[in-house]
């Protein structure tokens, strides 16, 4: 009896020592995430919460985005070439990339072309054995991005070369391949699970090539990952990454303060000032991938006159709007794309606030005694504009100073959208959030001639020179050449002033001081592969 | 006693059927289309729609659908979650122990403090003590749960640092689920710190969830005690010279307990409602949080199943309370 007790005690002691040693030696970062993921295969879902828990830590794509920018960089593809007609993309795959192993799967080979074929054909080929899904599941993003209309076929040349044949040229294609849905899964894993009679396991028990590998998930509570030692991009500095699922923003903040987590997702705007003044917390900020603007309907008087549009641009005191409407959560805009997007023309000089000059310009345009205009303001809060009505009132007051009398109008949101598509508006407040990191995603639908017909171009402005530039950019495969074309397009936009570019709203991520090398992504994802913890 | 039992259980059956009917109709009463709601797919092509309607049995007459629903129910099949593609029943089974553990602690907390507080207030009627108990319970009863919970976190976790902010256990302990009850599982996990951590994580949610039942129990106990203390048998007992402890503890308390038991039974509904808020704020992985998420994501099979299972829980607890009632108060079971 004595002996047994002794052994038990010794065992307990050993366990305690082991766990204590583990706790101090291992670097563990806890991230307070905002919700449970829908699942762990990013091909199947569309929410940022799910991508944060799947594609970001555990998977890679052929193309990745340089962290903090929207610049596509090599991922699982080391390099790529595009044919002159822009229809054939040839990818050279990275060698020596390992897949994670799990309880049910031990990879016997490195990543190769078969994995790329499996991942894409599964989504695109209706006859693929892994294409059929349970009720309610679909490859949502793949079809939303129109991939079935873009990709003709995916072919394997050899183990490290894959060719994508397109149905038509599509310059943003490389950026599209960097999106979460394009994550690469293991074909070998899929085969093994199919043989075992449990094909659906590949969607539930994730195996990828990413920096972290899956350990366990307790629904609505915690997701555990550990560093993947054989990660091709270098083993992460953290040993363990834990997501503490905490849906309430105030509680996330409390946990961050109490050091129960070191990074938190999506703070409440009301808490931001308080967090900034907290010595334990560093507030990271980054302009969102969006634009809030006012468009002038150039089909209507007086907005058909370029000088009027320029005068109205000069008459708006952006600094005050940013202070009172965005309350610091925005940066002034001078181009329709945010500065984090490639192709942004920083040389464009914004119209400075100058009511005297604006009034003179208005007189020159033929309105010496001022003019009456109408402006529609947003009836709802949008990510790019926290308070449309307040903003409208400020602009109304600004314009009054140069003799412009503004009638403010709004409609219920769906009505607002419907009427703006018909072109009923005079000047109107609007905005846009980009979703693939390609400038075309802003320039074409919002300001292109097609957009006038489609209704997305609320300025109904169709400029031949601008249109030629953006159309050429769409067909140009090389990114630096495309960037130059977009820079020129921005010069025309500035001169022609179909819009007032107001602001890019800012995103916030509070982290604790001991977190090192944390960088905010442009998309609302949280990346930890390069993150380290100080003092451990 | 047997007849009493039979009568009570007999009442449960129609109640149960009524609830299943309501929950079943839920899917047909929501705006939109039952096939789309059940499958989670929008804008299907007609062939797929027909197939889906057939697979889900939604092409049959409505009374047949109801019988199928009941049939599946008895097999323990509540359908699949649209979100996670696992069976609603298996999700419920993993999450329910968390809610049960929290609710049990909350009601225990409410009883341990509420009963003595109510008795003391009754015995010291119209004194400062009485007024304080009544004042405090009124405040507790009127406090919005989510606000109270945040206040507790702010004070005890953030400012004083005494208790953890949220979750069921320190995330660094990887306790394997055996029973689903964290207090038990952490004891089984051979990590001496785990149990302490689980216990400390329970404190704030228990207080947050237990406050309203505590207030109700304290007030109910007080008024029941006052009622009983006026009765002849108490006066007789006192006149016989029994010790005040015997008078209050045995004679009065036992009789005062009867209405209190009813109130405790009724609090189960309040507890489950409160659990929705408490679990969301404390990131407590129970059925409250599960239901909220399901409603937000329009995961109808989960909403349906969650409501049904919660309702069954309430019915069963009320049945248990009724039976307990019969034990404490023999008069009840003989009344027809």
């Amino acid at each position: 009896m004595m002996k047994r007790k002794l052994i038990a005690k010794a065992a307990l002691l050993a366990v305690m020592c082991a766990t204590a040693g583990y706790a101090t030696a291992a670097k563990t970062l806890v991230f307070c995430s905002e919700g449970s993921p829908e699942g762990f295969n990013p091909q199947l879902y569309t929410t940022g919460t799910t991508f944060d828990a799947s594609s970001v830590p555990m998977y890679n794509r052929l193309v990745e985005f340089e962290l903090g920018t929207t610049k596509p960089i090599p991922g699982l593809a080391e390099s790529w070439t595009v044919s002159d007609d822009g229809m054939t993309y040839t990818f050279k795959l990275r060698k020596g990339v390992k897949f994670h192993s799990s309880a049910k799967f031990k990879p016997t080979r490195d990543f190769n072309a078969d994995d790329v074929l499996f991942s894409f054909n599964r989504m695109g080929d209706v006859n693929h054995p892994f294409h059929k899904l349970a009720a309610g599941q679909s490859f949502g993003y793949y079809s939303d991005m129109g991939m079935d209309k873009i990709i003709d076929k995916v072919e394997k040349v050899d183990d490290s070369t894959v060719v994508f044949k397109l149905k038509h040229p599509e310059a943003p294609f490389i950026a599209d391949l960097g999106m979460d849905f394009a994550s690469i899964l293991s074909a070998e894993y899929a085969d093994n699970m199919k043989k075992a009679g449990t094909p659906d396991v590949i969607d539930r028990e994730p195996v990828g090539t990413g920096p972290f590998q899956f350990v366990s998930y307790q629904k609505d509570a915690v997701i555990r990952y550990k560093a993947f030692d054989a990660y091709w991009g270098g083993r992460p500095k953290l040993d363990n990454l834990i997501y503490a699922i905490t849906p309430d923003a105030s509680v996330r903040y409390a946990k961050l303060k109490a050091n129960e987590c070191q990074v938190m997702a999506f703070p409440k705007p009301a808490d931001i000032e308080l967090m900034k003044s907290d010595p334990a917390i560093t507030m990271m900020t980054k302009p969102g991938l969006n634009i809030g603007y006012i468009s002038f309907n150039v089909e209507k008087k007086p907005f058909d006159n370029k000088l009027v549009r320029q005068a109205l641009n000069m008459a708006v005191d952006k600094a005050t709007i940013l202070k009172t409407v965005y309350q610091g959560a925005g940066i002034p805009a001078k181009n329709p794309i945010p500065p984090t997007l490639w192709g942004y023309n920083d040389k464009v000089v914004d119209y400075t606030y100058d009511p005297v000059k604006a009034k003179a310009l208005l007189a020159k345009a033929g309105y010496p005694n001022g003019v009456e205009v109408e402006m529609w303001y947003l009836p709802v809060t949008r990510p790019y504009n926290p308070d449309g009505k307040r903003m409208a009132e400020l602009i109304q007051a600004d314009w009054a100073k140069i003799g412009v009398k503004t009638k403010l109008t709004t409609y219920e949101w769906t009505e607002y959208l419907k009427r703006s598509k018909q072109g009923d508006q005079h000047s109107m407040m609007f905005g846009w959030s980009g979703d693939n990191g390609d400038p075309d995603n802003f320039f074409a639908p919002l300001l292109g001639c097609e957009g006038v017909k489609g209704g997305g171009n609320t300025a109904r402005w169709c400029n031949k020179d601008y249109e030629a530039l953006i159309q050429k950019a769409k067909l140009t495969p090389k990114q630096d050449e495309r960037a130059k074309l977009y820079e020129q397009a921005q010069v025309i936009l500035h001169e022609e002033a179909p819009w007032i570019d107001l602001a890019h709203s800012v995103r916030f991520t509070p982290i604790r001081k001991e977190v090192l090398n944390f960088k905010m992504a442009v998309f609302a994802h949280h990346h930890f592969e390069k993150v380290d913890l100080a003092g451990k | 006693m047997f007849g009493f039992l039979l009568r009570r259980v007999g009442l449960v059956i129609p109640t149960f059927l009524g609830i299943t009917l309501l929950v079943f109709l839920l899917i047909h009463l929501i705006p939109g289309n039952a096939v789309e709601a059940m499958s989670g797919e929008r804008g299907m092509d007609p062939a797929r729609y027909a197939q889906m309607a057939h697979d889900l049995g939604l092409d049959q007459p409505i009374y047949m659908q109801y019988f199928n629903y009941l049939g599946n129910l008895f097999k323990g099949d509540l359908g699949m979650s649209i979100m996670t593609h696992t069976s609603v029943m298996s999700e419920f089974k993993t999450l329910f122990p968390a809610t049960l553990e929290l609710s049990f602690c909350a009601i225990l907390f409410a009883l341990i403090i509420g009963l003595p507080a109510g008795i003391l207030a009754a015995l010291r009627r119209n004194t400062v003590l009485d007024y304080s108990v009544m004042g405090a319970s009124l405040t507790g009863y009127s406090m919005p749960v989510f606000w109270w919970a945040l206040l507790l976190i702010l004070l005890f976790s953030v400012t004083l640092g005494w208790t953890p902010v949220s979750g069921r256990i320190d995330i660094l302990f990887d306790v394997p689920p055996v029973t689903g009850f964290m207090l038990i599982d952490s004891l089984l996990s051979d990590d001496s710190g785990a149990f302490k951590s689980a216990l400390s994580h329970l404190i704030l949610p228990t207080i947050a969830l237990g406050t309203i039942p505590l207030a109700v129990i304290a007030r109910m106990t007080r008024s029941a005690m006052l009622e009983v203390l006026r009765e002849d048998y108490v006066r007789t007992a006192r006149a016989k010279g029994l010790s005040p402890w015997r008078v209050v503890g045995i004679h009065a308390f036992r009789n005062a307990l009867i209405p209190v038991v009813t109130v405790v039974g009724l609090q189960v509904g309040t507890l489950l409602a409160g659990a929705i808020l408490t679990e969301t704020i404390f990131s407590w992985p129970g059925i409250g949080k599960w239901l909220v998420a399901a409603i937000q994501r329009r995961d109808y099979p989960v909403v349906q199943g969650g409501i049904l299972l919660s309702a069954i829980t309430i019915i069963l607890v009320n049945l248990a309370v009724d039976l307990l009632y019969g034990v404490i108060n023999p008069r009840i079971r003989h009344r027809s």
Side-chain angles (χ1 to χ4, degrees), chain A residues 244-258:
Chain A
I245 298 166
T246 316
D248 191 288
S250 308
V251 178
R252 286 201 293 279
Y253 178 28
K255 285 181 83 119
L256 189 74
K257 265 183 91 82

Side-chain angles (χ1 to χ4, degrees), chain A residues 36 135 137 220 224 255 260, chain B residues 39 85 165-166 171 289 297:
Chain A
S36 302
Q137 277 188 309
D220 290 342
R224 293 168 197 279
K255 285 181 83 119
E260 286 183 33
Chain B
S39 67
H85 294 273
V165 179
S166 74
I171 218 144
K289 209 176 138 204
R297 290 156 170 175

Side-chain angles (χ1 to χ4, degrees), chain B residues 11 14 26 63 87 95 98 195 223 278 287 290 296 303 306:
Chain B
L11 257 179
L26 179 77
Y63 65 91
S87 91
L95 298 171
F195 179 71
S223 62
T278 316
I287 51 164
W290 180 55
Q296 281 168 347
V303 177

Side-chain angles (χ1 to χ4, degrees), chain A residues 187-206:
Chain A
E188 190 191 6
Y189 182 35
D191 282 346
N192 288 7
M193 290 305 111
K194 200 178 160 222
K195 276 180 205 140
T198 52
D200 51 319
V201 164
I202 65 160
D203 295 329
R204 279 189 279 114
E205 297 175 21

Side-chain angles (χ1 to χ4, degrees), chain A residues 244-401:
Chain A
I245 298 166
T246 316
D248 191 288
S250 308
V251 178
R252 286 201 293 279
Y253 178 28
K255 285 181 83 119
L256 189 74
K257 265 183 91 82
N259 201 12
E260 286 183 33
C261 57
Q262 289 77 45
V263 176
M264 77 169 265
F266 311 116
K268 239 185 357 203
D271 291 337
I272 283 168
E273 277 314 304
L274 212 61
M275 289 180 183
K276 279 184 181 162
S277 63
D278 190 326
I281 292 172
T282 306
M283 181 61 91
M284 312 277 289
T285 60
K286 190 164 195 69
L289 196 63
N290 59 36
I291 172 82
Y293 60 87
I294 286 171
S295 59
F296 300 116
N297 183 347
V298 299
E299 288 174 353
K300 292 197 170 156
K301 275 190 181 302
F303 306 121
D304 56 340
N305 189 326
K306 179 171 93 180
L307 298 178
V308 173
R309 301 197 296 263
Q310 289 177 341
L312 291 175
N313 254 291
M314 279 176 211
V316 170
D317 180 6
K318 265 184 217 178
T320 307
I321 289 177
L322 278 153
K323 213 162 72 194
T324 56
V325 179
Y326 287 86
Q327 302 196 1
I331 57 163
K334 58 183 182 180
N335 289 316
I337 59 171
T340 43
L341 200 56
W342 61 269
Y344 183 79
N345 190 343
D346 208 16
K347 291 197 196 82
V348 167
V349 181
D350 197 13
Y351 294 102
T352 38
Y353 175 56
D354 189 344
V356 178
K357 208 170 148 197
K359 203 166 176 183
L361 210 56
L362 203 61
K364 201 176 149 198
Y367 300 99
N369 304 318
V371 62
E372 277 186 32
V373 298
E374 186 182 294
M375 178 160 64
W376 292 8
Y377 62 89
L378 288 168
V380 285
T381 300
R382 305 298 301 151
Y384 47 74
N385 189 334
D387 188 348
K389 183 157 194 274
R390 182 96 186 87
M391 188 190 276
E393 286 162 0
L394 287 170
I395 293 172
Q396 187 183 39
D398 282 342
W399 284 353
K401 287 179 202 146

Side-chain angles (χ1 to χ4, degrees), chain A residues 443-453 457 461-462 466-467 470:
Chain A
F443 288 122
L446 303 182
L447 290 151
C449 294
E450 280 298 313
V452 178
K453 284 179 232 157
N457 180 345
W461 175 80
C462 175
Y466 171 86
E467 187 68 16
I470 64 162

Side-chain angles (χ1 to χ4, degrees), chain A residues 1-22:
Chain A
M1 190 65 203
M2 267 303 272
K3 208 172 161 191
R4 254 173 77 188
K5 244 185 179 169
L6 210 70
I7 292 171
K9 258 193 179 161
L12 190 69
L13 205 71
V15 168
M16 278 169 70
C17 288
T19 48
Y22 175 81

